[in-house]
Every structure is written in structure tokens, then in C-alpha cells.
Amino acid sequence: MSNYDLALLGYRLDGMPQTIATRTRRVYDRVAAFYPISTHLFHSRAHRAALRDSGIRDGMRVLEVATGSGEMFRRLVRVNRSGTTLGFDLSPNMAARTLRRVRKEYPKSAAHCNAVDARFMPFPDASFDAVVCCYLLELLSAEDIVRTVGELHRVLRPRATLTLILIDQNLRAFNRIYRFCGRMAPAFWGRQVAGRARDVILASDFQIVSERCVRQTGYPSRVLVARK
Ligand SMILES: C[S@@+](CC[C@H](N)C(=O)[O-])C[C@H]1O[C@@H](n2cnc3c(N)ncnc32)[C@H](O)[C@@H]1O
């Protein structure tokens, strides 16, 4: 099945026919100051697992896509002290917060973060040794998941790795609650796409090298590492 067929299939099955980026940017701009609380409650265990599984070492050229308020970004900079760590987020407030904290904690590091849309990455082909992307694909339409995974593939060097965290779909009660939240505030919650995103990764010439589920405060995450 081609990427285009996958996108069409997703489009038909999906309640999100278009990415609502303007609303998403606005809502994440507003919550930037409080977002670290949610990360500490629900995401930090998966972040730690992703860092362990990613194989990221000091001296690499690393990109984090959709940094949020920068908790994972600071972990990456801490490990990659003498390398280069770049990050971006759609929300200018999230990106500014991420940059401010990293400049304060690691003033000598070659790290930078700014406001960019993951669907159109301003980087040359094959420019990173590793890319990390946590809890972003849920907020994109089926077509934009395909486009963004294509961008992730494009900016990675041959045999470099992509580390993804997705919201897992293996708990029925959690799925029901998530569906409800997604209907109430789609620009913030999006919807669960782990199964579909996995298919897109495989169809985009990635090879999955590891995959595991991590739970924190009842919130299930899937940590997936794929090689180009
Ligand atoms: C659920 S939060 C996850 C934040 C962070 N990755 C983490 O693990 O805590 C989703 C983030 O994706 C960002 N985002 C949404 N759409 C985006 C896009 N098209 N390009 C870049 N970032 C985007 C939002 O602004 C938000 O900060």
C-alpha cells in the first residue's frame, strides 16, 4: 500500500480530516506555563525509556520535534553535552520556554529551539544522527501524519534512528476517556493513532528496532525506535 493510499484510508476512518494547527498553536501557547505538571505526571517515565532506547550518545547531531515545554529536550541536551541538539515546537511560547530553560541550565551547550511546523521542516536532507518526537502525531490529520513521517525520514541520515512516543491504545477504559476528551478539545488532545502511525512508519521505509509500553499514573505510552 502506498503512502497516498494509507493517507486516504486514514482520512476515511478518521474524525480529523484536517490538522487544526492554528487552534493547536493557540491552545498550547496558553498552557505553556502549566504544561510541565502534566509532563511530570504522565510523560516523564516514557521520556526516560525513550532516551534509554534511542541509543543517543554524546557528540551526535540530534533533533527533537514538538518539544512542548522542554522536559525531554533538557534530557537530550544533558546526554549530548558536546554535540548539537536542535528542537522546535509549533507553539512559540513552548519553544521560547524550552530555549530559556536550556540556556539557563546548560549555557555552554550547542542547543537551540524555535517555532516551526513539523509538516514543513527547515532542515536539509540527511542532517541528523537521531530524531525524537513525543506525543505529536495524535494532533495531525491522517494525511499530515504521512507528510510528517516523510519529513522525519528525510532529515535523518542513512541508518540513523527515529524515537517516537505515541499514546498507546491497549486500555479500553482509557481509550474511552481519551475519545471523550478529544471530542471536547480536539486541538489539545487530538485522538489516538498508535496503530495507524505504526503502519505509516513501516510504509515509509523505516525498520522498527524496538517497541515497548510504559504506564504512568494510568496513562499508557508506546515507545518505538525505528531505523532509516
Ligand atoms: C502533547 S504535547 C507533547 C509535548 C512534548 N513532546 C512532550 O513529550 O511532553 C504536543 C506538542 O506538539 C506541538 N505541536 C502540535 N502540532 C505541531 C506541529 N504541526 N508542529 C510542531 N509542533 C506541533 C504542540 O504545540 C505541543 O507542544
Side-chain angles (χ1 to χ4, degrees):
M1 199 183 278
S2 71
N3 284 0
Y4 182 69
D5 292 334
L6 275 169
L8 281 184
L9 179 66
Y11 183 89
R12 274 188 228 113
L13 298 174
D14 199 343
M16 195 188 268
Q18 279 181 349
T19 300
I20 42 180
T22 311
R23 280 164 67 188
T24 296
R25 182 187 303 121
R26 202 179 313 132
V27 74
Y28 277 98
D29 259 347
R30 285 204 185 125
V31 301
F34 317 104
Y35 200 75
I37 301 168
S38 143
T39 306
H40 290 304
L41 284 176
F42 303 115
H43 296 170
S44 56
R45 190 173 292 169
H47 283 169
R48 278 198 297 276
L51 185 60
R52 264 197 310 274
D53 293 355
S54 69
I56 291 172
R57 304 176 307 277
D58 194 13
M60 285 183 161
R61 195 172 152 81
V62 176
L63 173 68
E64 187 186 1
V65 173
T67 58
S69 42
E71 290 70 29
M72 182 66 175
F73 192 69
R74 294 201 297 282
R75 288 181 197 277
L76 294 170
V77 175
R78 198 178 309 141
V79 167
N80 193 27
R81 289 294 177 100
S82 60
T84 300
T85 313
L86 303 183
F88 66 80
D89 196 278
L90 180 68
S91 149
N93 285 353
M94 286 292 204
R97 194 187 162 83
T98 298
L99 184 60
R100 222 172 20 245
R101 282 290 302 267
V102 92
R103 282 275 151 84
K104 195 168 160 206
E105 287 177 35
Y106 306 99
K108 291 193 179 135
S109 67
H112 196 75
C113 186
N114 55 7
V116 167
D117 189 327
R119 295 171 296 173
F120 314 99
M121 293 186 204
F123 304 110
D125 296 356
S127 45
F128 292 98
D129 301 311
V131 175
V132 175
C133 176
C134 312
Y135 309 105
L136 165 67
L137 300 184
E138 286 79 8
L139 297 166
L140 304 178
S141 70
E143 199 174 348
D144 282 337
I145 291 176
V146 174
R147 178 198 293 268
T148 302
V149 170
E151 282 290 85
L152 297 170
H153 189 273
R154 182 183 67 74
V155 301
L156 275 168
R157 293 188 174 138
R159 300 205 41 79
T161 57
L162 165 66
T163 303
L164 266 184
I165 306 182
L166 299 152
I167 301 168
D168 214 345
Q169 294 178 286
N170 57 358
L171 297 172
R172 212 176 294 164
F174 177 87
N175 296 350
R176 220 173 293 135
I177 295 167
Y178 205 92
R179 216 171 297 130
F180 175 77
C181 295
R183 262 189 234 122
M184 293 294 110
F188 181 75
W189 297 99
R191 75 280 184 240
Q192 291 165 287
V193 296
R196 186 176 323 139
R198 195 178 185 284
D199 291 343
V200 175
I201 296 287
L202 289 170
S204 306
D205 236 6
F206 278 109
Q207 201 186 336
I208 295 178
V209 292
S210 74
E211 203 169 1
R212 64 160 132 164
C213 299
V214 175
R215 257 176 95 174
Q216 184 177 5
T217 333
Y219 187 105
S221 298
R222 177 172 292 248
V223 179
L224 188 154
V225 180
R227 179 163 291 123
K228 178 171 175 178

